[in-house]
Amino acid sequence: MTQSVAVWLLIALALLSANLPFLSEKVFAMLPYRRGGEAAVKPFWLRLVEVLASYLIVGAVGFAFEGSLGNRFSQGWQFYAITLCLYLVMAYPGFVYRYLYRRAPRG
């Protein structure tokens, strides 16, 4: 795999995984969310936990890509702060669809 393919694959994976918690009512898109034995709407805090967990998973995939393509570079806290902010920006379309667009009055 070339570096260019790895970068675009990682960006597509990040975009998909950042929006998935807002588009699905299942936890990590696999397990149904139940409250009191009945299906329920996922709360916002659970969606946020899913976004942060998927950020860590995408980061691990990125490190794997970097390690397979060459030497891995050490990063400071600034790198992780910036990539987390970029990941949250990628999650914004799903957030808008879930909390702003679907609740807008039609007319």
Side-chain angles (χ1 to χ4, degrees):
M1 176 181 319
T2 65
Q3 182 178 3
S4 179
V5 171
V7 167
W8 284 110
L9 186 62
L10 191 65
I11 290 172
L13 178 65
L15 191 60
L16 177 70
S17 66
N19 287 297
L20 195 59
F22 297 105
L23 302 177
S24 174
E25 287 300 328
K26 294 184 177 185
V27 179
F28 294 108
M30 294 182 291
L31 306 170
Y33 179 72
R34 300 195 181 279
R35 188 169 209 178
E38 297 179 6
V41 176
K42 278 193 306 189
F44 179 73
W45 66 267
L46 184 57
R47 294 182 198 275
L48 187 61
V49 167
E50 284 183 88
V51 168
L52 294 176
S54 61
Y55 166 73
L56 294 174
I57 292 168
V58 169
V61 170
F63 283 139
F65 281 166
E66 186 178 18
S68 70
L69 292 172
N71 293 336
R72 220 184 121 254
F73 295 100
S74 62
Q75 306 293 343
W77 67 269
Q78 299 92 341
F79 172 80
Y80 299 105
I82 290 170
T83 56
L84 179 61
C85 290
L86 285 172
Y87 196 78
L88 292 176
V89 168
M90 287 183 182
Y92 188 68
F95 175 83
V96 167
Y97 178 74
R98 169 64 61 187
Y99 292 109
L100 302 177
Y101 180 71
R102 291 184 61 194
R103 303 210 191 272
R106 305 282 184 218

